[in-house]
Amino acid sequence: MRNVSLEDIFLHPITQKSLEHSGTAHAIAVAEYAYMFAKRYDVNPDHATKAALLHDIGHYTWYRDGKWDYELYKESDIHAIKGASRAHKLLVRIGEDRHVAKEIAVAILLHTDSYLPNGELELKPLQKVVALADEADEEINGNHHYKTIEDHVALERIRALDTRIDNGEKSTHGIV
């Protein structure tokens, strides 16, 4: 039995505020991809989808002259570092097992090497799943952060993932 559901995380005000910056549609798509990859790489789908949903919780919107500036983002961003800390604190606060919260936070920290000089990381399976899921939904110039989704559709998709995780269902094709 899980301590915390994806819905618990998704509906939390901290998550909702963070998703305004990083993109709700992107976060949900990455969680869906993570579920699929978790099955492929024999990773706990609960941990993978939680890490994927929260992987960009540390994002800050980088604007110059009132317009999104992808280059400024690329040179200044440390969202994985901030996000790992923020996610860990949130998960513990809402009742997640502390060891699970730490494992999820580390996966968030390592989902990108963009903050490392000439970074190349050797990832553990959960960390690899979250990184692959994020890459699967990426668009050029960070456009994946600006896809839109209606609130009720987002919640339906989160609930569907919770159901799949609770029932141990396997993905049979593409995004679940």
Side-chain angles (χ1 to χ4, degrees):
M1 187 70 184
R2 300 184 297 153
N3 291 356
V4 176
S5 69
L6 287 170
E7 184 175 351
D8 295 332
I9 296 167
F10 179 73
L11 292 177
H12 195 281
I14 290 171
T15 307
Q16 287 295 304
K17 182 177 180 181
S18 296
L19 292 178
E20 289 175 14
H21 295 293
S22 61
T24 301
H26 173 60
I28 292 170
V30 173
E32 291 169 336
Y33 278 118
Y35 181 84
M36 178 185 68
F37 287 127
K39 295 295 185 177
R40 184 179 302 165
Y41 291 100
D42 197 28
V43 167
N44 183 314
D46 180 48
H47 301 177
T49 55
K50 287 174 179 174
L53 180 65
L54 296 174
H55 79 282
D56 281 341
I57 196 171
H59 258 289
Y60 176 82
T61 50
W62 295 98
Y63 288 92
R64 190 183 327 228
D65 301 323
K67 190 174 180 185
W68 167 252
D69 189 322
Y70 185 68
E71 292 306 314
L72 183 60
Y73 156 76
K74 291 298 280 184
E75 76 183 38
S76 307
D77 184 62
I78 58 167
H79 80 274
I81 297 168
K82 295 183 330 184
S85 175
R86 190 174 288 160
H88 184 264
K89 184 176 180 181
L90 168 66
L91 290 167
V92 169
R93 179 183 292 165
I94 64 176
E96 185 60 83
D97 176 86
R98 292 179 187 272
H99 299 288
V100 172
K102 180 179 178 180
E103 184 180 7
I104 291 168
V106 172
I108 291 168
L109 174 66
L110 300 175
H111 84 274
T112 180
D113 60 6
S114 65
Y115 58 92
L116 297 174
N118 302 319
E120 190 172 311
L121 302 171
E122 186 171 325
L123 303 178
K124 293 181 179 180
L126 173 62
Q127 298 157 1
K128 181 178 181 176
V129 163
V130 176
L132 287 171
D134 187 30
E135 290 171 13
D137 195 56
E138 279 187 2
E139 296 178 13
I140 61 169
N141 295 327
N143 290 336
H144 51 282
H145 293 291
Y146 297 96
K147 296 188 296 185
T148 60
I149 188 171
E150 293 183 32
D151 292 343
H152 74 279
V153 174
L155 188 54
E156 287 172 14
R157 287 169 64 181
I158 289 294
R159 287 177 175 158
L161 273 174
D162 270 333
T163 300
R164 287 186 175 108
I165 292 164
D166 288 340
N167 294 335
E169 293 178 17
K170 293 186 177 182
S171 170
T172 57
H173 65 282
I175 297 178
V176 292

